[in-house]
Amino acid sequence: MEEESGAAAAAAAAEEIRRLPAEVNWEMLDKSRFFVLGAALFSGVSAALYPAVVVKTHLQVAPPPAAATATAAAILRRDGPRGFYRGFGASLAGTVPARALYMAALEATKSSVGSAAVRLGVSEPAASAAASAAAGVSAAVAAQVVWTPVDVISQRLMVQTSATCRYRGGADAFRKILVADGVRGLYRGFGLSILTYAPSNAVWWSSYAMAQRFLWRVVGAERSESYPSLMAVQGASAALAGGASALVTMPLDTVKTRLQVMEADAARPTLASTMRGLLKEGGWAACYRGLGPRWGSMSLSAATMVTTYEFLKRLSAKEGSMG
């Protein structure tokens, strides 16, 4: 009886997965179309969400605690609308190769780990969750090779004001950081970035897959044929995963941001000294400065990025591969 009930449960799980929207995997993509369209779509999304990142960075770096609205108003009063886009050029220049690395690592790992797990006899839901988690880790590690220097440069540009303008742009910041601190200055916080984003991505992608499955069970898998329903479920799943990830990784992100923004003329900052200084300023609450903008930004970013990403994969599918 137990064997029969186990077989029935496995058959039900397989039937549920079969009824879900078809996954566009790595082998089905036209790679050149995928990367060209991806660069254009994700550049637009990054531009829309960049002001929230600027506000979050100011909150994490400034010693006296302030409300997000007060910080945004101060930036607007001091620098005008362009203050919300300081460092955007440098960020955008790095976003394209970083996104390309991220997407390539994500899709290649997800495809290979998922198929390998199924061949080893792992159930479809477990194989999907494991493949998503492994893909998230490999994508985060690959992307940080580009993203860490981009973060260091763009964050330095974000927090400087017209009155304390040390860098004339991304190229000038790159040159001055390289001269003052060498290559390690550009990779300040790299280890902490991996520590922050690798497990965060693993949790995010696996929880996104599980959230989708749960939501389709609620709304009915038969509605997956409707494109608005498909986008709504993917967006809601991504927003839930993004919000939870923001909360879990916030303290590490605050310490990482401070490490990357501190100038080299002071004593060389370390993880321990940065953490001590932060706790001295405001206790554990200081580690969560900027949580509101980061929570909103990551939830909105996740929902927008994932719906854009899934749309991009369908646009980039080879002719006949979805049939």
Side-chain angles (χ1 to χ4, degrees):
M1 288 293 288
E2 285 183 8
E3 287 183 7
E4 285 180 12
S5 62
E15 175 61 19
E16 183 185 359
I17 289 167
R18 189 187 64 75
R19 291 168 62 201
L20 292 178
E23 177 76 13
V24 183
N25 63 34
W26 185 243
E27 289 76 22
M28 295 163 65
L29 294 175
D30 177 329
K31 309 299 187 296
S32 57
R33 195 193 309 171
F34 181 65
F35 288 124
V36 170
L37 288 174
L41 287 170
F42 285 120
S43 295
V45 172
S46 297
L49 298 172
Y50 195 77
V53 178
V54 171
V55 173
K56 183 267 301 182
T57 303
H58 274 266
L59 285 168
Q60 288 176 319
V61 173
T69 50
T71 300
I75 293 169
L76 188 63
R77 190 167 53 249
R78 185 179 59 238
D79 296 322
R82 65 179 294 178
F84 292 106
Y85 283 91
R86 283 193 183 277
F88 180 65
S91 178
L92 189 61
T95 292
V96 174
R99 285 280 173 207
L101 273 173
Y102 187 94
M103 292 187 292
L106 182 78
E107 289 301 325
T109 306
K110 194 192 293 185
S111 182
S112 58
V113 171
S115 55
V118 170
R119 282 197 303 272
L120 289 170
V122 179
S123 68
E124 285 278 359
S128 173
S132 295
V137 171
S138 69
V141 173
Q144 284 307 316
V145 173
V146 176
W147 251 322
T148 299
V150 168
D151 266 351
V152 170
I153 292 167
S154 62
Q155 286 170 351
R156 298 268 183 107
L157 293 170
M158 280 179 204
V159 298
Q160 72 176 8
T161 64
S162 303
T164 60
C165 192
R166 177 166 182 171
Y167 307 110
R168 293 193 301 274
D172 185 51
F174 175 83
R175 183 181 60 79
K176 285 178 178 173
I177 293 168
L178 204 56
V179 168
D181 247 358
V183 174
R184 70 181 289 180
L186 292 168
Y187 279 89
R188 192 185 284 178
F190 178 73
L192 202 54
S193 294
I194 297 295
L195 194 62
T196 302
Y197 295 120
S200 165
N201 270 260
V203 170
W204 194 97
W205 281 103
S206 56
S207 61
Y208 168 66
M210 288 187 287
Q212 267 205 98
R213 200 160 285 133
F214 169 76
L215 288 174
W216 281 124
R217 204 174 294 140
V218 172
V219 302
E222 65 280 356
R223 297 183 66 180
S224 66
E225 296 298 319
S226 161
Y227 192 69
S229 296
L230 179 65
M231 296 286 279
V233 167
Q234 288 173 342
S237 302
L240 288 170
S245 179
L247 182 64
V248 170
T249 59
M250 189 69 205
L252 283 172
D253 185 71
T254 302
V255 175
K256 174 188 74 72
T257 300
R258 288 217 167 188
L259 269 174
Q260 292 175 331
V261 169
M262 283 178 179
E263 301 291 353
D265 15 293
R268 188 179 296 280
T270 64
L271 174 58
S273 66
T274 304
M275 191 69 191
R276 275 197 305 271
L278 199 57
L279 291 174
K280 192 176 178 181
E281 275 179 27
W284 283 104
C287 297
Y288 285 88
R289 282 183 194 157
L291 176 61
R294 188 167 189 256
W295 179 287
S297 172
M298 282 187 71
S299 297
L300 185 58
S301 171
T304 310
M305 290 286 188
V306 162
T307 50
T308 303
Y309 181 64
E310 297 289 357
F311 177 61
L312 167 64
K313 288 206 292 182
R314 280 167 171 71
L315 281 181
S316 306
K318 294 173 184 173
E319 294 296 325
S321 64
M322 296 288 288

